[in-house]
Amino acid sequence: MYNTNYHRAESTDDAIAKLGASDDGKFVSGGQTLIPTMKQRLAAPSDLIDLCHIEAMKGITIDGNQITIGAATCHADVATSKELAAVCPAICDLASHIGDPHVRNMGTIGGSIANNDPAADYPSAMMALNAQIMTNKRTIDTDDFFTGMFDTALEEDEIITAVTFPAPAKAAYSKFPNPASRYAMAGVFVAKLKNGMARVGVTGAGSDGVFRHEGMEEALTSDWSADAIADASVDEGDMLSDLHGDAAYRANLVKVMAKRAVEKAG
Amino acid sequence: MSSLTMTVNGSEVSGDVEDRTLLVEFIREHLRLTGTHVGCDTSQCGACVVHVDGKAVKSCTMLAAQANGCDVTTIEGVANGDLHPMQTAFKENHGLQCGFCTPGMIMSAIDMVNRKGKDLDEATIRSELEGNICRCTGYHNIVKSIQDGASKM
Ligand SMILES: Cc1cc2nc3c(=O)[nH]c(=O)nc-3n(C[C@H](O)[C@H](O)[C@H](O)COP(=O)(O)OP(=O)(O)OC[C@H]3O[C@@H](n4cnc5c(N)ncnc54)[C@H](O)[C@@H]3O)c2cc1C
Ligand code: FES
Ligand code: FES
């Protein structure tokens, strides 16, 4: 790892000021993506501004039907929150299958979403739950937030502070993990919103990162059942193809994971 | 450079280190506590697991500066005179061969019991060991050791 200067931020304003004062600084939350990347010398920020001590960015609040998760909340806290499990167990289940227990103790939802790894789990849930991404500057609709592999609508000096979404009527996540890395080779989050609309977020498979599958959404909105998506078509041309699985294989996996998720949601 | 102070295995320690120093480097090279191992450079093997403020973390994937002010427990800190029951269980159940993964396995196992209780079934133990790789044992005796150690904690 190249050398860097570490700073703890007390507030988002403090973090922005510290970033502004640095040469080529970066925010760090759980570090479970950034530190491995720095160890490989694939990133070399001059400064690291730690967001994990900003109290206002931590914790889960449920206000009526609206769920808000602070960006610096770690995966383990999402996985084990009883309050959250009562209103949206699917997101707890998703968090409980990210990486391993040690990664879950450090990694955060904000870091995962900001990074937008094409195989990360949370982005599919944000898409399906029609979440809004709250930053220190604005609120961004999920459909405008994920702009392609490892790319988001965030500006350089913008911090995700929380994500917020309404509790769905039903939801579930089904993931086919890569046996070595545990990242998704295909992961599908299905949600039936309380307004009757179904939304389907797909991760791990798309060649341009996370995406919504509109065909399945329409089918599920009119008939919430695994059979309803049996004939859905997943375009191989839009799939990732690599040594872990070619495009045809992934296209099929997306359908299988979607059906399993609908069955799991009940 | 940062001046760090933290509690390691119950004693306050401090040191001046470069900010890029990983927690595992601080533990092994500055404190000379070499029980915590480094088995990979991809954050996947779990040989480096320690507890920071009571939570199991990979000390190769955390800067020492991130742990400034924290309470850290390493494998050297779990025995209290006698071996910890989990250490004894690994010894009695042949839960190790070369022993390289063992410190991380034991730190993960103790954390597992702290979170999930003493009555652990095989499937739970295997899925909880997702982040710990052993290249020798084939895991069977590690699972047995953890089940045994958990019941005696
Ligand atoms: C062994 C291993 C297995 C893993 N398996 C999985 C898996 O199965 N599924 C999965 O989804 N992930 C997996 N991960 C990744 C893990 O979930 C990370 O925690 C997550 O992707 C990044 O979160 P972080 O808090 O660690 O972010 P960091 O590593 O701290 O930061 C990542 C990036 O986001 C930026 N950033 C961080 N926080 C914010 C913020 N609040 N606002 C704006 N920008 C921010 C940083 O500047 C950086 O560029 C795995 C990681 C490891 C090491
Ligand atoms: S050395 Fe930390 S995970 Fe391998
Ligand atoms: S005993 Fe050799 S790596 Fe586990």
Side-chain angles (χ1 to χ4, degrees), chain A residues 1 4 6 8 39 100 105, chain B residues 19-20 56 58 60 66:
Chain A
M1 190 188 296
T4 188
Y6 171 86
R8 268 184 199 177
K39 282 166 65 176
D100 57 54
N105 277 337
Chain B
D19 288 5
R20 66 173 150 186
K58 289 174 174 167
C60 73
Q66 283 174 283

Side-chain angles (χ1 to χ4, degrees), chain A residues 207-265:
Chain A
S207 57
D208 201 25
V210 67
F211 66 94
R212 282 173 61 196
H213 194 290
E214 274 143 29
M216 291 194 205
E217 292 184 350
E218 273 170 35
L220 289 171
T221 299
S222 53
D223 172 15
W224 182 266
S225 74
D227 284 345
I229 49 176
D231 297 327
S233 77
V234 180
D235 191 345
E236 281 177 30
D238 296 338
M239 294 291 110
L240 276 172
S241 202
D242 58 23
L243 80 167
H244 305 301
D246 64 18
Y249 180 67
R250 276 197 163 85
N252 189 52
L253 263 187
V254 169
K255 220 155 95 174
V256 174
M257 289 305 111
K259 286 202 253 177
R260 283 190 194 168
V262 174
E263 273 161 10
K264 197 161 152 186

Side-chain angles (χ1 to χ4, degrees), chain B residues 5 7-8 11-12 26 32 40 43 45 52 58 61 69-70 72 78 89 91 101 105 112 115 119-120 130 149:
Chain B
T5 303
T7 306
V8 177
S11 314
E12 192 175 290
F26 184 67
R32 294 280 169 199
C40 72
S43 303
C45 76
V52 173
K58 289 174 174 167
T61 312
C70 292
V72 178
V78 300
K91 187 174 161 201
C101 68
M105 289 287 176
M112 203 185 298
R115 286 181 295 113
D119 191 13
L120 296 169
E130 197 55 69

Side-chain angles (χ1 to χ4, degrees), chain A residues 14-39:
Chain A
D14 184 35
I16 298 293
K18 287 186 163 126
L19 187 79
S22 74
D23 241 3
D24 180 22
K26 240 179 177 332
F27 302 123
V28 63
S29 289
Q32 301 301 288
T33 292
L34 188 51
I35 299 215
T37 313
M38 290 173 66
K39 282 166 65 176

Side-chain angles (χ1 to χ4, degrees), chain A residues 27 29-34 75 99 107-108 120-121 160 175 182-183, chain B residues 43:
Chain A
F27 302 123
S29 289
Q32 301 301 288
T33 292
L34 188 51
H75 309 328
T108 68
D121 296 302
I160 304 176
K175 162 179 176 179
R182 314 316 287 176
Y183 274 96
Chain B
S43 303

Side-chain angles (χ1 to χ4, degrees), chain B residues 96-102 134-137:
Chain B
L96 57 142
Q97 289 180 22
C98 79
F100 196 85
C101 68
T102 315
C134 174
R135 61 188 173 170
C136 304
T137 63

Side-chain angles (χ1 to χ4, degrees), chain A residues 83-209:
Chain A
E83 295 74 21
L84 193 51
V87 288
C88 187
I91 195 143
C92 305
D93 179 54
L94 175 149
S96 76
H97 290 98
I98 297 177
D100 57 54
H102 325 305
V103 168
R104 294 195 286 273
N105 277 337
M106 293 291 290
T108 68
I109 189 167
S112 176
I113 291 169
N115 195 51
N116 194 16
D117 186 302
D121 296 302
Y122 271 129
S124 65
M126 296 299 103
M127 285 281 204
L129 293 165
N130 199 13
Q132 292 183 304
I133 314 299
M134 296 156 81
T135 78
N136 57 318
K137 298 183 176 179
R138 56 188 168 144
T139 299
I140 310 170
D141 284 335
T142 185
D143 290 337
D144 301 326
F145 183 80
F146 299 108
T147 49
M149 217 184 250
F150 294 111
D151 203 27
T152 68
L154 288 175
E155 289 163 19
E156 284 281 294
D157 61 342
E158 193 166 13
I159 298 173
I160 304 176
T161 55
V163 302
T164 185
F165 52 90
K170 288 177 177 186
Y173 182 60
S174 186
K175 162 179 176 179
F176 190 90
N178 176 309
S181 75
R182 314 316 287 176
Y183 274 96
M185 291 196 29
V188 181
F189 198 104
V190 298
K192 185 175 186 174
L193 304 187
K194 287 188 173 162
N195 64 11
M197 299 296 287
R199 288 176 63 111
V200 177
V202 182
T203 191
S207 57
D208 201 25

